[in-house]
Amino acid sequence: MTASSSLTVLIVGSGAREHALATSIQKSPRCKRLLVTPGNGGTPGERFGIAADNVVELVALCVDQKVDLAVVGPETSLAAGIADELAKAGIRCFGPNMRAAQLETSKSYAREVAALLGIPGPRYATFGAGEFASAIRWWKNLGTEVVIKQSGLAGGKGVFVPQSEEETAAAIEECLALSETVIEERLHGIECSLISFCDGHASVPLPLAQDHKRIGEGDTGLNTGGMGAYAPINVGLGLSELNAQFVQPVIAHLESSHIPYMGMLYAGLMITKDGPRLLEFNCRFGDPETQVLLPLLDSDLLDIMMSCVDGKLQASDVKVRTLHALGVVVACDTYPAASSRGAPILSAANSTSSAPVFHGGTDVLDNRLVTNGGRIFTCVGVGESLSEARTLAYQNAAAVQFSGAYFRRDIGWRSIGASITSYSATGVDIDEGTRAVNLMKASIETTTTAQVLRGVGAFGGALDVSFLKEFDEPVLVASTDGVGTKVELAARTGRVRGTGIDIVNHCINDVLVQRATPLFFLDYLASSHVDAERVAAVVDGMSYACAAAGCVLLGGETAEMPGVYVDGAFDIAGTLVGVAERRNLLPRSDIARGDMLIGVASNGPHTNGYSLLRKVFEWIPLEATPHPLKRNLADTLLEPHRNYLPVLAKALDTECVKALVHITGGGLPDNIPRVLPAGVDAEVVLGSWPMPPLFQLVRQLTTMEDVELYRTLNMGIGMVIIVHPSDAAKVRDAIDEPTWIIGNLTSGTQRVNLR
Amino acid sequence: MNRKIEITSDSPREECGVIAVSSPADDVAQLAFFGLFALQHRGQEAAGIAVSDGRQARLHKDVGLVGHVFTQATLAPLVGNHAIGHNRYSTTGVSGARNAQPFLVETMNGPLAVAHNGNLVNAAELRDELLGKGFGLTASSDSEVMTLMLASAGGTTWEDRLERTLSSWRGAYSLVVLAADRVIAVRDPWGFRPLSVGRLPQGGYAIASETCALRTLDCTEISEVAPGEIVTAQGSTLTRRQAIAPAVKQARCTFEFVYFSRPDSQWDDRSVHLVRQRLGEELARESPVDADVVVPVPDSSIPAAVGYSRVSGIEYNDGFIKNRYIGRTFIEPTQSMRQRGVAMKFNALSENLAGKRVVLIDDSIVRGTTAGPLVKLLRSAGAIEVHMRITCPPIMHPCHFGVDMGHDNDLIAARMTPDELQEFIGCDSIAFLSLEAMMRAVGRTEGYCNSCFTGDYPIEITKRHSKFLFDQVLA
């Protein structure tokens, strides 16, 4: 054998597999001339029109054109004995001879060899054509689901996987009517393809690939030759171990039987929970596995094949790039039942070296590319990650244009699950959540009272309310709230404890205005990513505020929601239940024209208007203290919402309070009307209370009309008390801080007028 | 019939240039005008612009150069947001305003105007079919045939109608279509003639035979209209769709690079100017000669002469000065007048030629009528040797895809061997560039039509049709 540097190579076949083989071989500097027959509309090289199973003419062509190496793709050619005939004519052929090819052509032979060599496989039995009764009996006896395989070649399609007993019986009958049939126990697990180069006594594997045999998405529908593939697939077992278990013993056995196997040996494996099992052998390159494996090959394919032909294959000959490849088959929409011939192909996408498009069923008719088969193209992507390879492959699959084009959109879908070993891979850390709960326990316990029967950690909090019997007419008052986009400021500055105080106080005030006292509080805290310390800080704020109001923190939910919240973001919502004596419920029914409005100061925006505030101060660092602020922006904006319970307790006890209004979202104009009876308006005198510096600044900075501004921010008033004019002084005295008469009620239509 | 004859040039004559504009800004007629101006070299016989304002279309066309046909007065009424334009040189039909394009017709789906660059090889059959259906024709070019076929096609949109009609057209076509509310462009699946699209700076799109016109209009995002592709421009929206499968073996016209396109145009990712320089370089490698100066036939052969000089090491200089404004003249076509015609177009610079051995670079030889006079001019100016070097192989077969080379009998390289040619022209040596070297300069091994050199036609020509067949009926 000379180390010939200019070889004439013939590739036999017409599919995308042969296109991939041709592309790889053409890259070799040793390939001087490339011939393909019958080829297709995209195969490079010189094209001849001899059919793949026309052995006589193929041999004549090889002799005529002085072919140095014939590479045979389809199993039909190999089964027809092309390797033997070429050998007789003195032409080198890469592919097993007829006897060796029996591993594929006779399923029973394959099973016998495997059994002989102790290669693990499913339990099986072979039945001759017509042996219906014994077949049915054996199947019933086995007691498991089965797979039924016709023993001859069926282009990869003579395999039936029945879904019910009826289907099984029908399939057995159908197959036995045609030929010898193998019935096998059905295995469950991950299916993959092990394809190895063989030179008669040694074998070297290519990376494991996974095929997609079904026509439909989700692996449903009829069996096909393959609708897509990707490699490598990680099944937790070493490639050389698998080769040593499934391929090498067969090669050695055949050699010693004087039927040396030279070519590609394909072992279809099922990785079950009991270990790998052999499903079948094929004696050729797989389709579409070849299309994804060859782009991963770093070595010269022609060199490898020549080494095999010369019987000198070594493991070091086969070098593989550490990349991923994924291939999508674009078929005609009648496949696998029928093929498409002669339909014009408007676009064959854009084939590049990292996204090659291999032609399968195409041809050139009248200088136009047309369809000529079932599976028309294989679009492959190669990348550093399987995700990248997938994107490239699908870009081209979508760009292919011909009438009735179909491809599966889910090639490789099982690979994601295979790489998830724990929930944390999806971004949810249950352990961290548990740690957060443990950190919280201490602060939550500060709110516990004797009434708490079950608290944190229970499915639902339980509170003993038998004290309600001491009420004449107990009324439960409940409120649920959030704190608005103040959470974004808190997350940004890292000062989150205040939001816990905010949510509780907001809710306390909401029940206070009906003259209810808080009983218990429940919270929901969600973030993109649970940070135990952060969660604990928020809950600490909640506990502090609850304890200050004599309210029990009875329970809460901490949710980790990656992808729902942006990175670093969190949100809280709270529900507070209070109790009131019915006769004390506010607002009272005697609100009337002439009543006065007493304003109680807020200590900041509380929990409303933050979208405006964040926008207005978007370009100034929060450490700044612009005039006329007395403290920096962060401190000013993050000041927690006041708890008015202690402030107004004595005022309420005067029994002179007709109504309380909590100034929250909507400001004075939208909250006061909630207590106004029909026929009454409220008139608020702007300037009748001092506007705190923050609100002055915002007013200067925006061009909003006052009406709009006062609806967005509380502008300095957190609570409004409605009293009879004669009671105003008494109520004001009962409040231990400055208050202001900010307006009164007039006749009108339940609206607020700002003057 | 008055027949104007271009007697001062022997190069193959280009058929036409087309332009289409759709823009939300309202000076589309002006944009089309400047585009046609940049494409004047593709046809100097007649010019026309059709404009649509969304409902109505208006047209102005006449014989003459773009600058003569279009004035403030004739442009003013052409108001609208969509326009197509055309520069003409004839390959079918006698010259005259009747055959000037665009063709504008009223159809049941609104106004339709069509302008075409190329040539349909089955025009005669299509014409007969139309006449058989009862259509009347007013002109003698295949462009009118295409317009009427489109107007009567079934379909809901003009793109649909185009798609249905395209498969019956065999030949070269870079076509622009004006409808009430859009312009549409389509290029034949073999890609014979160029056609590109670009985005206008003020919004909207322009489509033109050559990118030089798009760059004159300051377009960005310039790309080719792909063979078999339909591109629609509607103000600021551009839609593209592959209407017909492209030919696997493409057939771009090599002559666009050799002669026709303006040097500042780009085609197939190549600069025309650079390809011409490379043609000169290959020519120097293939057919060197001892000489003192390399001169071009201005203007088209200048880059090739530069390339020849660079590789051969022989000094480059001007040999001829061209009288740019000679235009076309009404002259009786006698031999002596033709020779005087050449002398009227060029003067030779004896200061660069006297006592020198000269290499004369010309882009091509078709009829061989001007080479001789040019060589004579050089010798009268004092050149002691004249060696002709041609930047393409001998043209031996007529073109059926949009280039006027005259009849077979006109092609001198088909009638004479190089030795006979040398004697006929009167030069000391003559060499043509080989096909391989020409394609090397272009930078491609396939995808090009070279049938005028090789006789290997990308589309089978079944019938020879006489150029004047149509004119026998209508005077």
Side-chain angles (χ1 to χ4, degrees), chain B residues 108-121:
Chain B
M108 63 180 176
N109 300 112
L112 175 73
V114 169
H116 167 229
N117 164 219
N119 190 55
L120 294 186
V121 298

Side-chain angles (χ1 to χ4, degrees), chain A residues 41 344-347 363-364 366-369 401, chain B residues 170 189-190 242-249 458:
Chain A
I345 295 174
L346 297 182
S347 170
D363 206 346
V364 176
D366 195 22
N367 201 12
R368 296 291 205 286
L369 200 60
Q401 279 184 58
Chain B
R170 288 184 70 73
W190 295 270
Q242 189 69 33
I244 192 177
V248 173
K249 284 202 331 214

